[in-house]
Amino acid sequence: MAVRKLAPEEMQPESFSFSSETEAFAEQQIAKYPPGRQASAVIPLLWKAQEQAGGWLPRKAIEAVATRLDMPFIRVMEVATFYTMFNLEPVGQYFIQFCGTTPCVLRGAGDIKKVLEKRIGEQNHVTADGKFSWLEVECLGACCNAPMVQINDDYYEDLTTENFEKLLDDLAAGRPVKTGSQIGRNRSEPFEAVNTLQDPSLYDGSQIGAWRKRFEEQAQPAATGEAAAAAASIPQDVKAAKPTAGRAIESEAADTPAKRAKEGETPVNPVDQKEAGDPSVATKGKSHTEEGAQAAPQSSKSYVASPGKDAVPTSPTTPEAGTPLAQAETRRDGSESKPGVVVDKDNKTS
Ligand code: FES
């Protein structure tokens, strides 16, 4: 792609201001966006300014758009020089955009290009009478009717050297021309004989719902087959996984009132047991047992052993019950809440 820059100074007009029609268009476009977001209308305003200026954007037109949208000039220049839909140099009354992309080339675009060069000259060049100029562009989205050109706002498709020469002659003479296919094709229907989509039932409504019915009919045996396959895949003699794999193992509780009573010791209040492992509670001093609270019934089974109220933790990171918070270890890495080997005041371990 050629460098896109403004036309030479000698081509630039002295001034540009919005016509009443362009101003009305600008107001309509700006109203589409929230206050302060008027810059969003930059492309439509540039497009309309280009139309008013005769098909190209002089510097003054770009400045007028920037002023109207309260944008820096360079921001509008960025848009105008980026998009090839904006012409930065004067164009002919009939500005021809010639598609030079592969599908069109495969269908004879090279011959169309030769006609342009013979009749108009190099691209970006306006004929002496000001009627024609042309530019090679990328795919214009009408590949199925290739080769094609866009002249101002209309497409001309299915071109041959003959019908394209005639088209240029008619435009130059001011005669009416036919847009679209130049060989009588209806839009993008098949090029010669129409031999698809000819069943009348496609258009009389009788096919509505037929596809669903057909899918349901086809899906039914398939579902049955799947269900049968799924049922067959279930083993008849199911063996349990290892019973203890990944599971907690129930065992005799290490320190429970029932166990202590059985061993002839004083039962420990389960609340004290719980709070003994919590330093913030343990520092309160008096236990529920000392206050005469009754031990609540407790299961003789448990999953882990908890330190008792008189337990002396062997881990140096666990504060001893009754230790003021200020003197307690500041480390809190979770180890203080882990059950460990504890020794009671009678030097018994649990
Ligand atoms: S390739 Fe020419 S219109 Fe798509």
Side-chain angles (χ1 to χ4, degrees):
M1 180 182 291
V3 175
R4 288 175 54 78
K5 55 187 180 183
L6 294 178
E9 282 305 315
E10 59 271 19
M11 288 185 177
Q12 298 287 343
E14 293 285 314
S15 63
F16 178 92
S17 58
F18 283 5
S19 66
S20 55
E21 181 193 341
T22 303
E23 178 54 36
F25 177 84
E27 282 180 19
Q28 183 191 42
Q29 295 300 312
I30 293 169
K32 292 179 180 177
Y33 304 100
R37 303 288 182 183
Q38 70 274 13
S40 301
V42 65
I43 286 181
L45 261 65
L46 282 172
W47 182 253
K48 194 66 179 175
Q50 174 169 279
E51 183 184 276
Q52 181 186 326
W56 70 292
L57 277 173
R59 172 192 291 274
K60 292 293 181 186
I62 298 173
E63 288 176 353
V65 171
T67 302
R68 184 66 182 82
L69 296 177
D70 196 21
M71 293 173 67
F73 173 68
I74 187 61
R75 295 283 315 282
V76 185
M77 269 290 288
E78 288 168 354
V79 177
T81 54
F82 180 81
Y83 292 105
T84 54
M85 63 195 277
F86 299 122
N87 301 311
L88 302 177
E89 295 190 6
V91 296
Q93 177 186 351
Y94 299 107
F95 174 53
I96 302 169
Q97 295 183 69
F98 158 76
C99 175
T101 304
T102 308
C104 280
V105 171
L106 291 174
R107 292 278 295 161
D111 294 335
I112 304 303
K113 187 173 183 177
K114 286 179 185 158
V115 172
L116 287 167
E117 290 170 337
K118 181 183 76 175
R119 297 281 299 255
I120 301 173
E122 289 298 308
Q123 59 180 321
N124 289 317
H125 160 79
V126 183
T127 53
D129 59 4
K131 285 198 180 286
F132 294 104
S133 68
W134 72 279
L135 176 70
E136 181 169 339
V137 297
E138 299 302 328
C139 177
L140 289 168
C143 325
C144 52
N145 289 15
M148 58 82 66
V149 297
Q150 177 179 347
I151 301 179
N152 294 345
D153 295 332
D154 295 310
Y155 279 13
Y156 298 84
E157 303 152 355
D158 293 324
L159 298 175
T160 62
T161 52
E162 295 75 28
N163 64 30
F164 187 49
E165 293 245 27
K166 180 176 183 306
L167 176 66
L168 296 180
D169 287 339
D170 290 343
L171 289 171
R175 290 190 288 269
V177 295
K178 179 181 180 300
T179 59
S181 174
Q182 301 298 299
I183 59 172
R185 186 202 311 225
N186 182 21
R187 298 178 179 84
S188 57
E189 279 185 350
F191 176 54
E192 291 170 330
V194 177
N195 50 24
T196 59
L197 301 174
Q198 291 182 298
D199 185 347
S201 68
L202 291 172
Y203 311 103
D204 63 11
S206 62
Q207 293 278 357
I208 295 173
W211 62 270
R212 181 189 295 274
K213 189 164 180 284
R214 191 169 71 249
F215 284 149
E216 286 170 355
E217 287 169 358
Q218 291 173 350
Q220 193 58 37
T224 305
E226 279 182 23
S233 69
I234 299 173
Q236 299 304 308
D237 183 18
V238 180
K239 290 181 180 174
K242 285 185 180 177
T244 58
R247 298 184 177 91
I249 303 170
E250 189 180 77
S251 59
E252 186 74 18
D255 185 13
T256 64
K259 184 168 182 286
R260 282 181 169 251
K262 189 175 163 186
E263 293 171 355
E265 297 179 13
T266 306
V268 179
N269 186 309
V271 178
D272 286 347
Q273 271 193 326
K274 185 180 174 202
E275 292 182 353
D278 183 349
S280 64
V281 177
T283 55
K284 288 178 182 173
K286 275 193 166 182
S287 73
H288 296 274
T289 303
E290 288 168 344
E291 291 172 354
Q294 296 297 314
Q298 182 176 336
S299 167
S300 63
K301 306 283 185 184
S302 72
Y303 292 97
V304 294
S306 305
K309 117 179 143 55
D310 299 324
V312 179
T314 56
S315 167
T317 59
T318 305
E320 187 177 343
T323 303
L325 281 175
Q327 297 174 19
E329 290 279 350
T330 54
R331 182 180 170 192
R332 290 288 183 272
D333 58 4
S335 61
E336 66 272 25
S337 63
K338 293 177 184 171
V341 177
V342 294
V343 182
D344 63 18
K345 63 185 178 185
D346 297 320
N347 209 27
K348 288 186 177 180
T349 58
S350 59

